[in-house]
Amino acid sequence: MGLRETMKIFLDTANVEQIRKAVEWGILDGVTTNPTLIAKEGRDFRQVIQEICSICKGDISAEVVSTDAAGMIKEGLEYSKYAKNVVIKCPMTAEGLKATKALADKGIKVNVTLVFSANQALLAAKAGATYVSPFVGRLDDAGQDGMELVGEICQIFRNYGFKTQVLAASIRHPMHVVQAAKLGAHVATLPFEVLEKMLRHPLTDKGLKAFLDDWEKFKHLPRK
Ligand code: E4P
């Protein structure tokens, strides 16, 4: 397997405070939103997408809500005027594929969402998607191994040199991120709580406390 440039970390949120924090930590490559996440913020759609796009310069996914291709294309063209880094999220349906192809042909990046099988991912890649989003946690919830699907898609895309990137979505805990990275997923999109958990380790806190306590105790002692 060829080496990837880097594994990208996206936040799966429409909350601008969370996005700002992750940008300050210097590790954020992009953001995914969906209608549920946008609704949670209770803000105007355009305004929140534009604010996210100005905080994080990476790819920002904004999801269409039409169910027919013509409607999705119309929404996609509209959203793509919001900012240069908007990516249009289309659902994995026949209409979604048509819209993906039409938008991709116009040079607009598309993230095909709600992917639950390798066949769906293959079709999305053939339609010209920039990203496909297998939903790991939701498959786990349904008694299937979500990460196995991520591995299958990575393998299929490698076999044929598809440029489409595998975006591991519906991530529930830090081990999902490690597993996605081991499999070679291009991106993992995480709730902020998972990102926070990734950076913490009790031994780091314990070790730091001991170093600082020792420094306080001994810093005034004369040195030779
Ligand atoms: C992906 O882009 C989706 O927004 C997201 O990962 C869905 O995850 P959930 O299963 O936690 O809602």
Side-chain angles (χ1 to χ4, degrees):
M1 176 182 131
L3 279 184
R4 303 220 188 287
E5 227 177 283
T6 181
M7 185 194 187
K8 289 185 268 190
I9 299 283
F10 286 7
L11 266 186
D12 196 27
T13 184
N15 182 284
V16 292
E17 278 77 42
Q18 294 178 343
I19 294 165
R20 233 176 238 118
K21 270 190 201 163
V23 167
E24 281 166 11
W25 294 346
I27 50 78
L28 194 67
D29 300 301
V31 175
T32 51
T33 66
N34 62 40
T36 307
L37 295 170
I38 298 273
K40 222 160 102 181
E41 298 306 308
R43 297 181 53 193
D44 175 69
F45 178 75
R46 182 189 181 124
Q47 206 183 51
V48 75
I49 293 293
Q50 284 181 325
E51 189 172 349
I52 294 171
C53 286
S54 71
I55 300 169
C56 175
K57 298 300 172 200
D59 282 350
I60 311 301
S61 289
E63 188 160 342
V64 297
V65 289
S66 295
T67 51
D68 63 304
M72 290 182 205
I73 295 165
K74 191 164 171 263
E75 280 181 70
L77 292 173
E78 178 62 28
Y79 299 174
S80 64
K81 288 187 214 140
Y82 291 0
K84 275 196 292 213
N85 47 338
V86 170
V87 172
I88 310 305
K89 230 180 181 190
C90 289
M92 182 52 230
T93 59
E95 293 300 299
L97 282 182
K98 281 195 241 170
T100 299
K101 170 83 178 123
L103 292 168
D105 283 350
K106 289 182 190 297
I108 295 170
K109 290 184 181 177
V110 178
N111 172 2
V112 174
T113 190
L114 292 164
V115 166
F116 292 95
S117 78
N119 279 321
Q120 290 181 324
L122 181 55
L123 294 176
K126 288 195 68 78
T130 297
Y131 299 102
V132 292
S133 293
F135 275 38
V136 176
R138 293 195 196 184
L139 273 173
D140 288 355
D141 292 344
Q144 267 177 268
D145 185 347
M147 219 30 95
E148 200 176 297
L149 174 61
V150 171
E152 274 178 359
I153 301 172
C154 287
Q155 188 190 336
I156 292 167
F157 286 5
R158 272 198 304 270
N159 286 350
Y160 297 102
F162 277 111
K163 291 208 172 68
T164 305
Q165 299 180 40
V166 181
L167 192 164
S170 187
I171 294 283
R172 299 280 164 77
H173 50 73
M175 276 314 291
H176 271 158
V177 186
V178 173
Q179 288 161 347
K182 281 171 144 179
L183 290 167
H186 304 77
V187 192
T189 190
L190 336 170
F192 186 73
E193 301 69 47
V194 174
L195 186 61
E196 274 188 314
K197 283 181 188 164
M198 280 173 73
L199 75 78
R200 295 227 174 89
H201 196 287
L203 288 179
T204 304
D205 298 341
K206 190 176 168 200
L208 181 60
K209 186 176 180 316
F211 286 154
L212 295 179
D213 287 351
D214 288 343
W215 179 250
E216 277 308 310
K217 269 185 256 163
F218 301 118
K219 72 177 175 189
H220 304 299
L221 292 183
R223 284 156 212 248
K224 286 188 190 152

